[in-house]
């Protein structure tokens, strides 16, 4: 009898559940219509440069080509602005290598500028919080620029002004290997400078003077603490997650998150699977091997495409290991718990390894908002997470730059 009663109730329960889901979706829609949403790490320039026929103004399909960002999907998802990354894997640290890095960086800046110019009705290059809001008011997407790996700065700090004038507003000091500015968390050789180098120290001073945010993602723990001591402006981690929830070196410890927050900084949660959820030994080895192959200097775009497809397939081979939107919000919850709502943001690392069930590409970001609503976050909180906290750091860097330039 009881079973029969439950069976009869089931359609009602399902209906109530789906009504609740619809209400949440409506609420998320409303929030995205009003909020200014910013993601601090987008690797779409890789596709712009390496994928033949990739056009950021045309809608692509994640299931067909694995790409996660383009302007139409940003609009569809309610993503107002993203930091496009001038990224390169670390190469030879010689004068010739540095010159090559600079040329490559300039090529990526050009590709970003060209893409924005091609779609003047859709997108605009923006460099300040204010410019971002003005573009948003006009109904346009904002394209900010960040640099992942300070290698193209070389030994000539005047390059910083050159890149700043091209729109650059943050630099991740190092990528997966040590460079001349800083130690990396990923270098198999371990520490080389004991943190930030002497050159890195001068670089940070010049970044502060110009108003370029120091990004602490990827660098070693010692380098992070050096940045905390050296930077006169608040900093952020453009794409890092919590080490307390996934114990990998690329993530930040509670102590680091709290210290960065106490100085006004923000950790933007990364959506790369193993940073969200520590994989089993077996999967970790597969990930590491594939990533190392992708980072090889002679890896062709075709090779990288194949490797990325294999990385994506891992979650189907090991379904229990794939993180979901819930895992992402666990990391947000954790930062809020230890450092407060003003110090967490989002830097999904899409087109650079982002891999979350339920948020496969930028058109699906509302699922994150829905999960935040489910856990009781208010619209005010969600607006902070989705953009206001990041914009505050950007504005603070501008303010510090102004002060440093007016001091006698
Ligand atoms: Zn990265």
């Amino acid at each position: 009898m009881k079973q029969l009663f439950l069976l009869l109730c089931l359609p009602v329960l399902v209906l109530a559940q789906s009504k609740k889901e619809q209400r949440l979706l409506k609420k998320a829609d409303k929030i995205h219509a009003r909020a200014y949403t910013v993601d601090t790490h987008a690797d779409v320039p890789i596709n712009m440069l390496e994928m033949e026929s990739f056009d950021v103004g045309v809608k692509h399909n994640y299931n067909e080509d694995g790409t996660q960002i383009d302007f139409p999907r940003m609009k569809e998802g309610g993503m107002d602005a993203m930091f496009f990354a001038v990224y390169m894997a670390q190469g030879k640290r010689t004068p010739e290598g540095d010159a090559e890095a600079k040329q490559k960086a300039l090529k990526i800046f050009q590709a970003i500028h060209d893409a924005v110019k091609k779609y003047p009705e859709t997108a605009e290059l923006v460099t300040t919080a204010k410019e971002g809001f003005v573009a948003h008011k006009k109904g346009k997407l904002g394209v900010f620029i960040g640099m992942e790996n300070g290698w193209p700065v070389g030994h000539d700090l005047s390059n910083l002004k050159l890149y700043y004038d091209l729109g650059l507003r943050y630099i991740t000091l190092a990528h997966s290997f040590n460079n001349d500015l800083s130690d990396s968390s990923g270098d198999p050789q371990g520490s080389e400078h004991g943190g930030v180098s002497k050159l890195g120290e001068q670089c940070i001073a010049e970044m502060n003077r110009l108003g370029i945010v120091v990004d602490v993602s990827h660098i070693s723990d010692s380098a992070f603490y050096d940045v905390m001591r050296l930077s006169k402006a608040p900093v952020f981690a453009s794409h890092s997650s919590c080490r307390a929830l996934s114990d990998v070196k690329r993530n930040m410890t509670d102590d680091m998150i709290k210290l960065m927050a106490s100085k006004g900084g923000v950790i933007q949660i990364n959506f790369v699977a193993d940073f969200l959820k520590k994989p089993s030994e077996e999967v970790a080895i597969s990930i590491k091997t594939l990533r190392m192959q992708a980072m090889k200097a002679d890896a062709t775009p075709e090779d990288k495409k194949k490797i990325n497809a294999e990385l994506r397939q891992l979650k189907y081979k090991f379904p229990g290991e794939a993180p979901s939107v819930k895992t992402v919000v666990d990391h947000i919850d954790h930062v809020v718990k230890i450092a407060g709502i003003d110090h967490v943001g989002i830097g999904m690392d899409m087109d650079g390894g982002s891999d979350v069930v339920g948020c496969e590409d930028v058109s699906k970001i509302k699922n994150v908002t829905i999960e935040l609503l489910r856990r009781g976050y208010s619209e005010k909180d969600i607006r902070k997470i989705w953009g206001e906290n990041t914009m505050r750091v950007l504005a603070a860097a501008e303010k510090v730059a102004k002060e440093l330039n007016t001091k006698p």
Side-chain angles (χ1 to χ4, degrees), residues 148 218 239 250 349:
E148 183 177 30
H218 281 289
H239 58 307
R250 255 293 271 116
D349 210 350

Side-chain angles (χ1 to χ4, degrees), residues 41 43 87 148 172 175-176 217-218 239 250 270 275 349 352:
H41 198 81
D43 273 320
Y87 156 76
E148 183 177 30
T172 324
H175 187 241
S176 298
S217 286
H218 281 289
H239 58 307
R250 255 293 271 116
N270 188 321
F275 302 163
D349 210 350

Side-chain angles (χ1 to χ4, degrees), residues 52-330:
E52 219 179 307
S53 82
F54 180 84
D55 186 332
V56 75
V58 174
K59 189 175 171 177
H60 297 73
N61 186 326
Y62 171 79
N63 292 319
E64 281 166 17
D65 61 13
T67 67
Q68 297 176 298
I69 300 166
D70 48 50
F71 292 152
R73 280 184 287 176
M74 280 175 75
K75 286 231 162 182
E76 194 182 321
M79 175 61 85
D80 300 319
M82 296 182 100
F83 277 79
F84 283 19
V86 174
Y87 156 76
M88 68 193 73
Q90 186 62 47
K92 280 200 179 107
R93 288 158 57 188
T94 58
E96 298 75 35
D98 291 356
E100 214 176 283
K102 182 176 173 178
Q103 286 318 310
K104 194 173 171 203
L106 292 173
K107 214 171 128 188
I108 304 171
F109 275 108
Q110 191 60 50
I112 298 172
H113 289 185
D114 288 348
V116 173
K117 267 188 221 139
K118 194 174 167 190
Y119 296 99
E121 306 299 320
T122 313
E124 215 169 277
L125 192 72
V126 288
T127 58
T128 63
K130 207 175 149 196
E131 281 177 15
F133 293 136
V134 171
H136 185 50
K137 274 238 158 101
K138 289 188 277 187
K140 288 189 198 176
L141 300 171
V143 172
F144 286 96
I145 303 180
M147 181 181 272
E148 183 177 30
N149 191 356
W151 180 35
V153 175
H155 285 253
D156 180 1
L157 296 181
S158 73
N159 281 328
L160 289 167
K161 176 72 165 71
L162 172 73
Y163 300 144
Y164 176 87
D165 288 340
L166 292 172
L168 184 70
R169 289 301 179 272
Y170 82 68
I171 298 178
T172 324
L173 296 178
H175 187 241
S176 298
F177 294 92
N178 302 334
N179 63 16
D180 292 341
L181 302 176
S182 173
D183 286 343
S184 162
S185 63
D187 199 313
Q189 310 289 341
S191 170
E192 175 182 332
H193 312 288
V196 169
S197 71
K198 273 274 164 275
L199 179 69
E201 214 172 306
Q202 293 161 8
C203 181
I204 290 170
E206 181 63 3
M207 285 166 74
N208 283 162
R209 197 188 65 79
L210 289 167
I212 301 175
V213 176
V214 181
D215 173 17
V216 297
S217 286
H218 281 289
I219 60 174
S220 72
D221 290 7
S222 303
F224 165 81
Y225 286 105
D226 282 346
V227 170
M228 286 297 104
R229 185 171 48 79
L230 294 164
S231 179
K232 294 188 174 72
V235 305
F236 58 52
S238 75
H239 58 307
S240 291
S241 300
C242 306
R243 212 180 288 177
L245 302 189
S246 178
D247 188 13
V248 294
K249 281 195 205 156
R250 255 293 271 116
N251 284 341
M252 297 179 79
T253 65
D254 287 0
D255 185 66
M256 289 159 84
I257 295 168
K258 282 192 238 176
L259 179 61
M260 186 168 68
S262 74
K263 291 170 179 281
V266 173
I267 172 171
Q268 284 100 353
I269 301 301
N270 188 321
F271 287 23
V272 168
D274 51 326
F275 302 163
L276 289 169
K277 199 170 169 183
K278 197 169 182 182
S280 65
E281 200 66 32
E282 194 185 3
V283 177
I285 290 168
S286 307
I287 293 173
K288 202 171 172 191
T289 314
L290 288 166
R291 281 200 191 132
M292 281 297 175
Q293 284 171 11
M295 272 193 292
K296 272 189 189 156
D298 58 353
T300 65
E302 266 313 302
D303 294 338
K304 284 186 211 164
K305 206 176 156 188
K306 239 175 76 192
I307 292 165
N308 283 335
E310 272 185 66
L311 278 167
R312 276 200 306 280
Q313 282 306 317
L314 281 176
K315 68 168 171 281
Y316 301 108
K317 270 197 228 160
F318 306 93
E321 304 230 3
S324 68
V325 167
K326 284 187 167 55
T327 329
V328 167
V329 180
D330 289 345

